[in-house]
Amino acid sequence: MARLQKLLMQIAVIAVLTLAYTSPALAQDEMECPPTIEGLKECIDHHYSQGDISGQGTYNSLMAKADAAQAAADRGQTDTAGNILNAFINQVNAQNSNKITPEVAAHITHHAQMTIEEL
């Protein structure tokens, strides 16, 4: 009986780990992602700290684009901010499965698109 309980516990652990692996949002605390440039920067920081975005250069480049978009938006240049965020999206797509995990690439691309719509 104890052996059966141990086997069932192992199966349960495998099931939980499989679910966590296939659904990263369930594996970590849900992060608020407001459709703002500041929210996008927080998202980039979070995923870099989690290892979903690798390479200091990739991180710096994404943050530089977000900073430039914020500066343009602060000047009232929403078209320019949108263009910069489109360049951000292009970079994310180029790094998808390379320096950025596919799940995070999809997430931050969607986040940037929502931000563009809110400008």
Side-chain angles (χ1 to χ4, degrees), residues 31-49 53 59-71 74 84-85 88 104 107-108 111-112 115:
M31 186 182 158
E32 281 297 314
C33 292
T36 63
I37 297 169
E38 190 59 40
L40 182 61
K41 289 171 57 175
E42 290 173 10
C43 192
I44 296 164
D45 274 334
H46 171 76
H47 288 295
Y48 180 68
S49 72
I53 298 171
Y59 169 80
N60 290 343
S61 182
L62 293 174
M63 291 300 281
K65 284 179 179 65
D67 287 338
Q70 184 65 64
D74 290 346
I84 294 167
L85 289 174
F88 173 95
V104 170
H107 172 78
I108 60 178
H111 188 144
T115 302

Side-chain angles (χ1 to χ4, degrees), residues 45-104:
D45 274 334
H46 171 76
H47 288 295
Y48 180 68
S49 72
Q50 296 296 310
D52 300 319
I53 298 171
S54 61
Q56 185 73 43
T58 300
Y59 169 80
N60 290 343
S61 182
L62 293 174
M63 291 300 281
K65 284 179 179 65
D67 287 338
Q70 184 65 64
D74 290 346
R75 291 188 306 269
Q77 298 173 328
T78 56
D79 287 345
T80 300
N83 289 339
I84 294 167
L85 289 174
N86 279 318
F88 173 95
I89 290 168
N90 290 339
Q91 180 183 359
V92 170
N93 289 334
Q95 295 299 328
N96 187 353
S97 298
N98 184 16
K99 297 283 187 175
I100 304 172
T101 65
E103 298 82 12
V104 170

Side-chain angles (χ1 to χ4, degrees), residues 5-41:
Q5 286 176 330
K6 183 177 180 181
L7 179 62
L8 290 174
M9 182 62 103
Q10 289 173 337
I11 291 170
V13 167
I14 291 169
V16 168
L17 291 175
T18 301
L19 180 61
Y21 178 76
T22 59
S23 180
L26 296 175
Q28 61 189 13
D29 293 334
E30 280 294 321
M31 186 182 158
E32 281 297 314
C33 292
T36 63
I37 297 169
E38 190 59 40
L40 182 61
K41 289 171 57 175

